[in-house]
Amino acid sequence: MSPDSYPDEAATLHLPAEELQTLASRVFQHLGLSLPHAEAMARTVVAGQRDDCQSHGVYRILSCTQTIRAGKVALQVEPVLAPASGAVVRVDAGYGFSPLAFERALPALVETTRQHGIGALVIRHCFHFSALWPEVEAITAHGLAALALTPSHAWVAPAGGSRPVFGTNPIAFGWPRPGGHPFVFDFATSAIARGDLELHRRAGTPLPAGCGVDAQGRPSTDPVAVAQGAMLAFGGHKGSALSAMVELMAGALIGDWMSQESLAFDEGVGAIPCHGELVLAFDPARLGAGDLAAQQQQAERLFHAITGQGARLPSQRRFEARARSLQRGVAVPRALYAEILALAE
């Protein structure tokens, strides 16, 4: 059974999202983060937990704690938003966590995208720990399409190799839909997300086959052995090529670190990756033929062609979990809740 599932209701708490948000913010402030950082971080991890993304939910408080205690991240820094340059918005996170930098820059990204039809947000010098879907969803809420890319630590071997070069290098895309949830996908270019690997390690459960190799380059389903060896890209050479693209687009292109440089900066302390992020936004009203309603109808025909034959759209499971959380409270494993509660004391 995947550690992303917690079927034992006796081992699970259901908390109002506001209560979990308050607790998470309190923990982050107790760890030394400024109030704006703590609240932005809490919004991010609670959103993951609300949508039943265990690997990117409040579990991430633990890895953020390790990063803070390693002394790598700036806890009180205020992101610096540079004046817009054409369609490009730049924000320097100052070696702080990424959520606040994104929130500070979002209004400028929306404005420049409306002006030019296309906007690019460059976030530099940030510790990035979260899923990308909260960011692209925030952009689609303004009626814009979005694409986000970011490297991580060098944990993933290229196709045909056995030594880490790439990060897990996620890609996320969002498309706004009238009157409902957006079309969103968000996936690592590795065969499994690093957070999922860590959850398997904590649970003592094997990884699915094809996720990684041990230090000798032999295929392994042991999460400890894979962590000491290398993860693998999904889809062989196809995932490997996409991962290389992310390194170039969200690393070299924007003048920030790629995954090997992020891992070198870590110096073995096990902190969250530090690098940059590239977020692209697109205004359908500016890029289309001038009939936004017709464009939306065209997109909806595509979605209906998918769902009409019984297939699911990406993120449908998340949205269903979101509805359950709003009705019943956000599900949190009791053992994890106890760990988090202890950090607030």
Side-chain angles (χ1 to χ4, degrees):
M1 179 171 292
S2 166
D4 226 27
S5 302
Y6 292 90
D8 185 357
E9 285 297 311
T12 304
L13 293 168
H14 289 86
L15 305 170
E18 296 79 6
E19 180 179 334
L20 193 57
Q21 167 81 25
T22 298
L23 173 60
S25 179
R26 182 155 57 95
V27 169
F28 285 128
Q29 290 177 72
H30 185 70
L31 291 168
L33 285 168
S34 67
L35 179 61
H37 271 293
E39 291 183 340
M41 298 276 283
R43 281 189 287 270
T44 299
V45 297
V46 171
Q49 197 70 30
R50 175 203 63 198
D51 285 12
D52 195 25
C53 295
Q54 301 289 337
S55 62
H56 289 82
V58 295
Y59 157 76
R60 290 282 172 158
I61 295 175
L62 305 183
S63 55
C64 290
T65 299
Q66 181 177 349
T67 298
I68 291 168
R69 290 175 174 170
K72 288 285 187 178
V73 63
L75 305 180
Q76 302 281 328
V77 66
E78 179 68 22
V80 177
L81 184 64
S85 176
V88 180
V89 175
R90 294 182 178 87
V91 60
D92 191 330
Y95 297 95
F97 288 113
S98 63
L100 184 62
F102 174 79
E103 290 186 5
R104 290 281 196 267
L106 178 58
L109 175 63
V110 171
E111 181 181 352
T112 197
T113 303
R114 295 222 186 282
Q115 180 181 354
H116 298 283
I118 298 175
L121 169 58
V122 174
I123 304 176
R124 297 190 63 196
H125 307 136
C126 69
F127 283 83
H128 195 284
F129 67 93
S130 62
L132 293 175
W133 59 258
E135 299 176 5
V136 296
E137 275 197 39
I139 296 170
T140 62
H142 293 274
L144 307 175
L147 181 68
L149 315 167
T150 186
S152 61
H153 278 339
W155 288 317
V156 181
S162 60
R163 293 190 299 274
V165 173
F166 304 138
T168 52
N169 293 11
I171 300 172
F173 172 77
W175 176 269
R177 300 181 68 186
H181 294 299
F183 174 87
V184 174
F185 68 73
D186 178 2
F187 55 77
T189 52
S190 53
I192 190 171
R194 189 70 178 190
D196 286 321
L197 183 149
E198 289 300 317
L199 285 176
H200 277 282
R201 181 188 60 77
R202 284 167 60 87
T205 55
L207 301 172
C211 288
V213 297
D214 64 18
Q216 286 71 47
R218 300 172 300 201
S220 177
T221 59
D222 180 350
V224 176
V226 170
Q228 295 170 347
M231 302 169 70
L232 296 177
F234 81 88
H237 67 281
K238 295 182 181 180
S240 186
L242 285 173
S243 194
M245 179 195 73
V246 173
E247 295 282 346
L248 296 170
M249 293 290 287
L253 181 70
I254 66 171
D256 212 316
W257 289 335
M258 294 190 285
S259 297
Q260 288 181 301
E261 295 159 315
S262 175
L263 188 60
F265 174 73
D266 185 74
E267 299 177 307
V269 302
I272 288 166
C274 181
H275 45 71
E277 179 182 357
L278 176 63
V279 183
L280 303 175
F282 310 89
D283 186 355
R286 291 291 304 274
L287 295 176
D291 190 343
L292 184 59
Q295 293 169 253
Q296 292 172 335
Q297 291 170 6
Q298 186 179 18
E300 290 302 311
R301 286 196 295 270
L302 171 65
F303 300 141
H304 180 72
I306 296 170
T307 60
Q309 56 183 295
R312 295 199 319 175
L313 295 178
S315 294
Q316 184 176 326
R317 184 196 64 82
R318 279 200 308 104
F319 296 141
E320 291 168 354
R322 184 179 302 181
R324 288 195 305 272
S325 294
L326 294 175
Q327 181 179 27
R328 301 177 55 199
V330 180
V332 182
R334 288 181 182 273
L336 177 59
Y337 181 78
E339 287 187 78
I340 294 169
L341 199 60
L343 292 172
E345 299 173 351

